[in-house]
Amino acid sequence: MKQLPIKLDAAITSECWNFFRTSIIGTDPFGHEWIASHYDVFMHWGGHIHFGNGLDRYATPYYDILDQRSFPLERYGAQDLVSHIEQWIDEGAYVMLDADTGKLIENPEFRIHELLVYGYDEERRIFYSPLQNGKTGKFEVFELGYDTVLTAVGSVIAYYREHPLERVNRACQYFYPLTTIKIRPVHYDDTLFILTALKKLEAEYTGYRREFVRYEPTREAGERFVNYTGLGCLIGMRDVLIGLISEPDAGVSFSIGTSLFKLYEHRGILVSTLELLRDKLGISDTAYDGNLETYKAQSRLMREAYLLMKKAEISNKKNSLPGIIQRLDAVYESDYTSLRDMDSRARQALAGWL
């Protein structure tokens, strides 16, 4: 029996592919600093918020913190797979598998999703995995029987044999259907964390509205997309909500509530960014501290916006949308001032620290 450390209250719970990795990184001595100095946020067209570089929602760079090695899932037979998972965990590697989640919860609906295994008990023949509770939305420890996991994985293998291109597409996003993950044994330097955090902070308050154009074979401009980054996401979300209000027959989109929650979650990470800069640079400044407390207080408005949106989704009524817009406007005005000022003070502190 062995269980690797896992952090269920990870920095990101709203996106599974990032949750699984932050639940691992958060257990490392340098994990807090690494997370605090990473993760920009952006908005895809239509109001979809993601952690990433402004274009690709799977683009968070993990290469400097995680050693991720992928293998063809079909290489291993049922019993071989069990013994290899046990061996990898014994060696300190977490195991990510593509699985048919319907088989895990006895649901007839076929659905491919990654499954993180961080421990096992060979006597009870169970794997330990963090899965999301469908009622609470929180991640909890689940005990999954060996046979249950093998059946779920076997279902995916059979599907991939009939749909090889879909496997390729998922591999390009998530690596191969079988991936081992270890934290790299690297010593990080405070200067690197500080510089990365400053770059992240600047990217947040200098939010952009970016237009992307796909070219046709004729070299003419084709489909156009608009993305927003940083604080620009608040403006983009505002535009989405105004558009929703102006269309009487349009229903309330369930993705908007999730996106607002991601913005709220992003603020929690950014608080860590601001605290990292304060602590690493030794900033003892009442103005910096005051701006930080203001930023934390504004998180309440973002949480209220998220809860109002969930209410609108449940009732399918739009009367709460103007209140959400008001809160987004207030957050934007406050954040732009406080973040810009803290960035300036942190840079001054760095100038004296170098």
Side-chain angles (χ1 to χ4, degrees), residues 234 237-238 241-242 245 298 301-302 304-305 308 319-334:
L234 300 179
M237 189 62 67
R238 183 183 194 277
L241 292 171
I242 290 176
I245 293 173
Q298 292 300 95
L301 292 181
M302 186 59 70
E304 290 176 359
L308 285 172
N319 55 325
S320 61
L321 299 191
I324 298 174
I325 293 173
Q326 290 176 358
R327 286 166 173 78
L328 295 180
D329 288 344
V331 169
Y332 180 89
E333 293 176 8
S334 175

Side-chain angles (χ1 to χ4, degrees), residues 152-163:
V153 172
S155 176
V156 168
I157 292 175
Y159 179 83
Y160 282 154
R161 284 173 177 157
E162 296 181 4
H163 304 85

Side-chain angles (χ1 to χ4, degrees), residues 138-190:
K138 295 182 179 180
F139 281 88
E140 301 174 2
V141 174
F142 280 72
E143 297 179 351
L144 303 174
Y146 282 4
D147 292 338
T148 299
V149 171
L150 291 175
T151 299
V153 172
S155 176
V156 168
I157 292 175
Y159 179 83
Y160 282 154
R161 284 173 177 157
E162 296 181 4
H163 304 85
L165 288 181
E166 186 166 341
R167 171 181 169 161
V168 170
N169 293 335
R170 283 185 61 83
C172 289
Q173 295 174 350
Y174 303 112
F175 300 95
Y176 271 110
L178 170 59
T179 300
T180 61
I181 302 175
K182 281 186 177 181
I183 296 178
R184 292 187 182 278
V186 179
H187 178 77
Y188 291 94
D189 181 79
D190 280 349

Side-chain angles (χ1 to χ4, degrees), residues 230-249:
L231 283 183
C233 293
L234 300 179
I235 298 174
M237 189 62 67
R238 183 183 194 277
D239 292 342
V240 169
L241 292 171
I242 290 176
L244 196 57
I245 293 173
S246 65
E247 298 181 21
D249 297 330

Side-chain angles (χ1 to χ4, degrees), residues 261-295:
F261 179 73
K262 290 182 183 181
L263 288 176
Y264 173 72
E265 202 166 47
H266 170 66
R267 295 181 70 85
I269 299 177
L270 200 58
V271 167
S272 299
T273 306
L274 298 168
E275 291 174 341
L276 180 149
L277 290 170
R278 178 197 62 193
D279 297 341
K280 297 291 186 185
L281 291 170
I283 298 175
S284 180
D285 186 326
T286 56
Y288 189 97
D289 291 340
N291 280 321
L292 179 54
E293 290 306 311
T294 297
Y295 185 80

Side-chain angles (χ1 to χ4, degrees), residues 203-248:
E204 177 69 13
Y205 72 78
T206 57
Y208 289 99
R209 178 184 185 274
R210 296 171 174 167
E211 183 176 278
F212 299 91
V213 180
R214 287 180 177 166
Y215 281 100
E216 302 291 346
T218 58
R219 303 183 188 179
E220 296 177 339
E223 196 171 6
R224 296 175 182 270
F225 306 93
V226 176
N227 280 8
Y228 299 81
T229 66
L231 283 183
C233 293
L234 300 179
I235 298 174
M237 189 62 67
R238 183 183 194 277
D239 292 342
V240 169
L241 292 171
I242 290 176
L244 196 57
I245 293 173
S246 65
E247 298 181 21

